[in-house]
Amino acid sequence: MRDGLKTERNGKGMIELTNVSKIYGSMVKAVDNLNLVIPDGEIFGFLGPNGAGKTTTIKMITGVLNPNSGTIRVNGKDIQREPLEVKKQIGYVPDNPNIFLRLKGIEYLNFMADMYDVSTDERKERVESLAKRFGMADVLNDRIQSYSHGMRQKIIIMGVLVHNPSVWILDEPMTGLDPRSSFMLKEMMREHADSGNTVFFSTHILDVAEKLCDRVAIINKGQILFCGTLEEMREHFKKNASLENIFLELTESEE
Amino acid sequence: MKNKTLLLAKTLIKNGEGIGLKGSTAFAKAVVILVFLIIIPMFMSGIAFVVAALLGMLRQIGQEGIILTWGLAINSAVVFIFGIFYIISTFYFSSDIELLLPLPLKPRQIIGAKFIVVAVYEYLTTAVVFVPMWLTYGIKMGSGLLYYVYGLIIFLLIPFVPLTAASILIMLIMRFFNLSRHKDTVKVVGGMLGIFIGLGINVVVQNVTTGMSQEQVMELIQKGNNSLIGLAAGIFPTTRWGAEALVFHAQLSGFISFLLYTGFSILFYYALLWLGELIYLRGVIGLSEAGSRRNRTKQVQLEKTAVKGSVIRTYTLVELKLLFRTPIYFINCVMINFLYPVFFLFPLLVQNEEVSIIQELSKALNKPGTEGMILAGSFALALFLGGTNATTATAISREGQELFVKKYLPVSYRQQLTAKLLSGFILGLVAIIMMVLFAVIVFNLEWWLGLIILATAWLPILYTSLTGLLIDLYNPKLDWDNEQKAVKQNVNVVYNMLAGILPAGLTIAFIGFAFNLVWAIIVLVGFYGLLSFILAKLLYTIGVKRFCMLEG
Ligand SMILES: Nc1ncnc2c1ncn2[C@@H]1O[C@H](COP(=O)(O)OP(=O)(O)OP(=O)(O)O)[C@@H](O)[C@H]1O
Ligand SMILES: [Mg+2]
């Protein structure tokens, strides 16, 4: 399923942000001249305090927000110039799972599958296996309105996986998931990255980031404070310090 | 205790549902002010004009008082129908209920306050009909001061009886059927049920009161002295006393009628409070839990359900599903299309058999040589039906906070707008199909003329769908926390009404020219075809750009 996407990369990262800025209204500079390269084949964690600009950055990569300046390329394609091409490759789990509440779970999955042009056979197979893995088979016929927070999160994740995108972009995906589902999601993220795809996710759970990520970026007030592998980070700071200590130190010194 | 009720009512009105002009532009405000300053007074003077003309005729047979009964009866019926929906949503499904229930308030205080809130909103509607009728009658008949005093009090009491009837009906339905699990369905079915029960009662009452032979009616008419007043009272018999109080204001009998009218209105209100104390809480508690049927046994049949469909088709279907499943959207965008014929039937049901409007209209519709006019009339009607339909005029607004989803889907904005356009267009078609069926079946409209109307009058529907979508793209109301605000308190709906009604006026003026059928087809299809073509071009160029720029 990993089509030829990987061959196109020419040593370039799967996601490249160059001098990207976003200003809300005319005052708040939520993302400030940001440069970031997210390579494929790795799990990339995006950390930062509340209001740092994580969601804003993610929304610009997925085409939800238009940047005020700068360019964003996914797999070499500019989101502004070829939006549909880029969007097709991305699977996005937003931070707010309360969408399409009046649709049934299965209707939502079918909607997403149709929007991403998934064939009947593929979707049947995927819906079936995903429903089993996430324990959602019994509730697919219910309205999403009746789901708990975690179930809503799961149906959104299933909606992404049903079209099998090469780039996963997840905004705080573990929020509300039970231990089993969260474990399984992490496993799937690992699998996905290991087969050469890109996984980019934001989180506040530093344990998860420490265990799962190959590379992390820490953002505060719209600017990247650090970007690199975990080893680089430990070298850069005191050896053996936990990610938590580094995070606290980094984001505090900014105040 | 009474103070607490009034205080709560005041807070609810302040806190709640203005027309929602706060966030809108100066232009938006200007248009709304225009509507209030020009269109409503125009409408009111139209009513005054008709009332004055009718008075002249009825006076000759000494039956002028029947006008007041008609006015009060129509107002009561309107209050009742709107009331059903208002009551369901304010008594049972409004978001403030969860905040009110924990407060140290008696159920009757909550009910009383909410009743007053609804009544105040109803005044806005009833004033438009009642005030011109009341003043015209008073001036024409040279009524004394007491007439105006009575009239003011009667006006304030108009909503009491019909609104109490609606509230009691709804409270009983909510109490005795365990409906908490089907919240959305209740809002809709409850409303329909209420209306049909109301209509049923009306028919029965009509049959009882008008079960007179023609001779008896003639006799009554000949008696003069407003002997017909009681005959037209409609569903709510108290309206008769209201009319009598006004007509005979200078006599003792008028005073007695006035006492009866006010007495009964207040009595009804207290009966409601008493009943509310008994059954309101039981119906409302638990309603906040979102209901779902858990069919553990009924697993999804993937073989049947997981089938690929085209982007436009699926997108349009999802738009329609959301419209059907969200009660407020259903009432404003969907049901209204099916209900138009009912609104037209309603006055017919109220008719005496002796004077058949149906026959008169059938005759008019089947006069040879009027086909061109009829077609122009259908275009005007289609413009009106399309313009009052809120579907495309809220198509973007309804997305609200979920708009961001539409931005990351790999579907071009062009296709998305097409699907949104289609969903509104399809619903608009329902209205025109219903009207044509109604005209063919009830008024004996020639079926071939009906077919010609169907084959052409989709163009004005397309036109209003396009204007609605363009208007909403330019001024979407995305920042809402309650679906009601997306459609009920959205000025775009008013704009689109104007976009439909203004050319409808033009088209009606055009009836005066009395084109023959062929010319009417050519001119109307040409005009609205061209207009729609230009608007579609606009939609697919600047409309798409605009959608691209919107950020959720
Ligand atoms: N729609 C908006 N309008 C105005 N300002 C906004 C909007 N959304 C976010 N902001 C501002 O932009 C900044 C970055 O917000 P963002 O949502 O990207 O933070 P975040 O890193 O995702 O935070 P969290 O960890 O809480 O999710 C904040 O200062 C926030 O106040
Ligand atoms: Mg965030």
Side-chain angles (χ1 to χ4, degrees):
Chain A
M1 287 291 132
R2 266 177 281 138
D3 10 52
L5 289 174
K6 202 183 168 196
T7 53
E8 283 180 35
R9 95 182 145 107
N10 295 332
K12 282 191 177 176
M14 284 287 270
I15 307 177
E16 276 179 281
L17 290 89
T18 322
N19 303 327
V20 173
S21 294
K22 177 70 192 178
I23 302 166
Y24 283 113
S26 54
M27 297 290 289
V28 193
K29 204 155 195 188
V31 171
D32 191 359
N33 207 24
L34 191 102
N35 288 289
L36 196 61
V37 176
I38 300 152
D40 55 8
E42 289 184 5
I43 300 184
F44 195 111
F46 200 31
L47 314 175
N50 294 133
K54 300 181 296 295
T55 299
T56 307
T57 308
I58 286 177
K59 281 185 169 171
M60 288 190 288
I61 302 175
T62 52
V64 172
L65 295 176
N66 305 314
N68 293 90
S69 61
T71 53
I72 298 172
R73 291 166 175 279
V74 176
N75 217 15
K77 288 185 174 130
D78 189 330
I79 175 92
Q80 303 278 26
R81 295 225 188 91
E82 300 171 88
L84 296 187
E85 295 305 308
V86 171
K87 288 177 188 176
K88 264 180 206 152
Q89 300 178 22
I90 296 179
Y92 170 41
V93 175
D95 56 348
N96 165 20
N98 302 314
I99 55 175
F100 288 109
L101 297 184
R102 286 204 159 78
L103 290 188
K104 295 175 179 175
I106 184 68
E107 288 172 335
Y108 172 69
L109 296 180
N110 265 320
F111 174 73
M112 293 306 272
D114 279 334
M115 294 303 113
Y116 287 86
D117 201 21
V118 180
S119 73
T120 301
D121 290 341
E122 270 180 296
R123 87 174 61 177
K124 258 182 210 153
E125 189 193 306
R126 285 191 202 135
V127 168
E128 203 160 11
S129 79
L130 285 169
K132 209 174 276 167
R133 283 180 90 167
F134 282 105
M136 295 282 284
D138 288 339
V139 295
L140 282 188
N141 239 340
D142 292 333
R143 300 250 182 113
I144 297 178
Q145 214 167 13
S146 73
Y147 290 5
S148 71
H149 183 89
M151 288 157 80
R152 289 178 189 183
Q153 190 77 16
K154 286 194 219 173
I155 199 81
I156 304 267
I157 295 173
M158 289 167 70
V160 163
L161 299 183
V162 81
H163 63 89
N164 197 27
S166 61
V167 180
W168 289 6
I169 298 181
L170 320 167
D171 201 352
E172 299 188 34
M174 316 295 179
T175 317
L177 290 190
D178 60 34
R180 177 181 300 278
S181 309
S182 153
F183 174 75
M184 207 166 42
L185 180 63
K186 284 184 271 183
E187 238 183 343
M188 289 165 82
M189 285 160 77
R190 185 78 265 164
E191 256 171 55
H192 195 64
D194 284 349
S195 41
N197 299 299
T198 307
V199 177
F200 179 52
F201 78 108
S202 77
T203 185
H204 288 300
I205 315 172
L206 296 178
D207 282 346
V208 170
E210 201 159 14
K211 290 201 188 99
L212 193 63
C213 297
D214 301 304
R215 201 179 285 266
V216 294
I218 298 179
I219 181 175
N220 195 15
K221 297 183 179 160
Q223 290 177 322
I224 300 282
L225 301 182
F226 173 85
C227 178
T229 62
L230 284 169
E231 291 90 72
E232 282 168 5
M233 176 180 271
R234 293 214 179 82
E235 269 164 35
H236 196 276
F237 299 91
K238 291 165 278 176
K239 285 235 157 106
N240 290 330
S242 71
L243 180 56
E244 189 172 24
N245 288 337
I246 295 174
F247 180 89
L248 291 175
E249 190 181 310
L250 259 180
T251 52
E252 197 170 17
S253 62
E254 270 291 297
E255 297 296 311
Chain B
M1 181 186 84
K2 185 127 200 203
N3 285 341
K4 236 178 180 174
T5 310
L6 282 178
L7 200 73
L8 181 58
K10 247 201 221 140
T11 322
L12 288 178
I13 288 178
K14 266 197 209 142
N15 178 37
E17 345 205 313
I19 354 174
L21 282 180
K22 261 183 211 149
S24 22
T25 59
F27 179 68
K29 281 177 193 149
V31 170
V32 172
I33 290 169
L34 193 79
V35 170
F36 278 104
L37 286 187
I38 298 183
I39 304 217
I40 291 181
M42 254 167 62
F43 189 70
M44 287 168 95
S45 36
I47 291 179
F49 185 76
V50 172
V51 168
L54 277 175
L55 266 181
M57 293 188 315
L58 289 169
R59 222 171 153 175
Q60 289 170 1
I61 52 169
Q63 300 291 356
E64 65 279 353
I66 201 169
I67 291 222
L68 294 173
T69 327
W70 275 335
L72 288 172
I74 289 172
N75 264 328
S76 302
V78 169
V79 167
F80 179 75
I81 290 180
F82 283 135
I84 293 259
F85 291 109
Y86 273 140
I87 296 287
I88 295 183
S89 53
T90 52
F91 279 27
Y92 288 94
F93 295 107
S94 109
S95 48
D96 55 30
I97 291 194
E98 280 178 52
L99 300 175
L100 291 180
L101 285 182
L103 297 180
L105 290 168
K106 295 204 178 87
R108 65 160 166 248
Q109 287 166 335
I110 299 181
I111 293 261
K114 283 179 171 276
F115 184 92
I116 292 171
V117 173
V118 178
V120 168
Y121 285 122
E122 298 269 16
Y123 290 145
L124 299 179
T125 350
T126 49
V128 175
V129 178
F130 184 82
V131 171
M133 180 198 79
W134 171 47
L135 294 183
T136 313
Y137 184 95
I139 293 165
K140 271 254 166 184
M141 303 297 296
S143 307
L145 178 67
L146 209 50
Y147 169 86
Y148 296 98
V149 175
Y150 283 176
L152 189 66
I153 295 171
I154 287 172
F155 167 69
L156 292 177
L157 291 176
I158 287 176
F160 276 59
V161 171
L163 213 49
T164 303
S167 312
I168 290 179
L169 208 62
I170 296 302
M171 286 206 303
L172 290 173
I173 292 178
M174 298 304 283
R175 167 64 186 86
F176 291 108
F177 299 88
N178 181 14
L179 300 167
S180 58
R181 291 160 81 233
H182 313 285
K183 187 173 168 178
D184 287 353
T185 326
V186 172
K187 287 196 210 179
V188 171
V189 175
M192 303 281 266
L193 207 66
I195 288 181
F196 284 119
I197 292 175
L199 281 176
I201 294 174
N202 177 47
V203 172
V204 172
V205 172
Q206 283 294 321
N207 280 340
V208 173
T209 53
T210 61
M212 293 188 211
S213 67
Q214 198 160 351
E215 289 86 61
Q216 282 171 310
V217 174
M218 288 311 286
E219 217 170 284
L220 263 183
I221 292 177
Q222 274 159 13
K223 265 204 259 167
N225 197 22
N226 291 307
S227 49
L228 282 179
I229 284 185
L231 215 55
I235 319 179
F236 303 105
T238 51
T239 50
R240 170 195 188 143
W241 294 316
E244 281 173 351
L246 289 172
V247 174
F248 305 118
H249 63 272
Q251 301 160 26
L252 182 66
S253 74
F255 181 64
I256 292 172
S257 298
F258 177 73
L259 284 186
L260 280 172
Y261 185 82
T262 32
F264 265 93
S265 300
I266 293 167
L267 194 72
F268 262 68
Y269 174 69
Y270 276 99
L272 171 71
L273 294 188
W274 171 76
L275 191 71
E277 190 75 40
L278 287 181
I279 65 175
Y280 176 64
L281 279 187
R282 295 245 200 134
V284 81
I285 285 173
L287 268 181
S288 55
E289 306 153 14
S292 83
R293 249 172 317 150
R294 277 286 151 79
N295 292 329
R296 296 239 171 254
T297 45
K298 208 176 121 204
Q299 286 227 350
V300 207
Q301 302 280 305
L302 285 181
E303 290 305 316
K304 272 187 225 147
T305 49
V307 178
K308 187 172 181 335
S310 82
V311 170
I312 297 267
R313 180 172 172 273
T314 306
Y315 197 116
T316 310
L317 279 178
V318 163
E319 287 281 313
L320 288 172
K321 272 181 194 158
L322 296 179
L323 283 165
F324 272 82
R325 289 178 188 177
T326 312
I328 277 295
Y329 301 165
F330 183 81
I331 290 165
N332 285 282
C333 304
V334 180
M335 198 173 72
I336 193 151
N337 298 303
F338 294 91
L339 273 191
Y340 277 122
V342 178
F343 284 141
F344 284 84
L345 261 174
F346 192 77
L348 300 182
L349 282 176
V350 182
Q351 279 305 310
N352 292 325
E353 304 238 337
E354 282 75 24
V355 225
S356 174
I357 286 195
I358 299 184
Q359 275 174 16
E360 295 303 315
L361 270 173
S362 312
K363 262 187 235 156
L365 283 179
N366 288 305
K367 222 168 29 187
T370 54
E371 293 88 355
M373 283 192 219
I374 291 173
L375 189 71
S378 335
F379 267 61
L381 186 65
L383 286 165
F384 173 77
L385 299 181
T388 47
N389 188 318
T391 311
T392 57
T394 58
I396 309 293
S397 301
R398 287 195 315 266
E399 296 280 348
Q401 303 291 325
E402 286 184 34
L403 180 69
F404 74 92
V405 177
K406 304 298 158 65
K407 310 285 299 196
Y408 71 74
L409 292 179
V411 177
S412 69
Y413 297 132
R414 191 190 166 92
Q415 279 181 305
Q416 299 200 35
L417 290 178
T418 307
K420 285 183 179 296
L421 183 70
L422 262 181
S423 55
F425 179 65
I426 289 170
L427 290 177
L429 280 187
V430 170
I432 201 82
I433 291 171
M434 294 294 289
M435 291 308 291
V436 168
L437 276 180
F438 185 66
V440 169
I441 293 168
V442 181
F443 294 131
N444 302 315
L445 181 75
E446 294 283 353
W447 61 267
W448 58 266
L449 196 53
L451 283 182
I452 289 181
I453 293 173
L454 285 183
T456 54
W458 57 269
L459 269 170
I461 298 284
L462 181 62
Y463 160 81
T464 53
S465 305
L466 282 162
T467 50
L469 194 49
L470 279 165
I471 290 169
D472 203 30
L473 271 169
Y474 265 83
N475 183 30
K477 184 173 183 175
L478 295 168
D479 195 16
W480 46 262
D481 49 4
N482 175 341
E483 286 141 349
Q484 186 128 358
K485 293 189 183 149
V487 289
K488 280 247 158 181
Q489 296 162 27
N490 193 335
V491 278
N492 294 346
V493 178
V494 180
Y495 293 154
N496 202 38
M497 242 177 242
L498 292 181
I501 291 172
L502 294 182
L506 269 181
T507 309
I508 288 192
F510 164 88
I511 295 180
F513 291 108
F515 283 95
N516 69 25
L517 184 59
V518 178
W519 272 106
I521 292 177
I522 293 172
V523 174
L524 287 170
V525 169
F527 181 66
Y528 286 102
L530 187 69
L531 215 52
S532 302
F533 179 76
I534 295 170
L535 288 172
K537 277 271 172 214
L538 281 179
L539 181 69
Y540 288 134
T541 51
I542 57 172
V544 166
K545 268 200 204 114
R546 182 71 199 155
F547 197 13
C548 183
M549 269 159 52
L550 287 179
E551 293 184 339

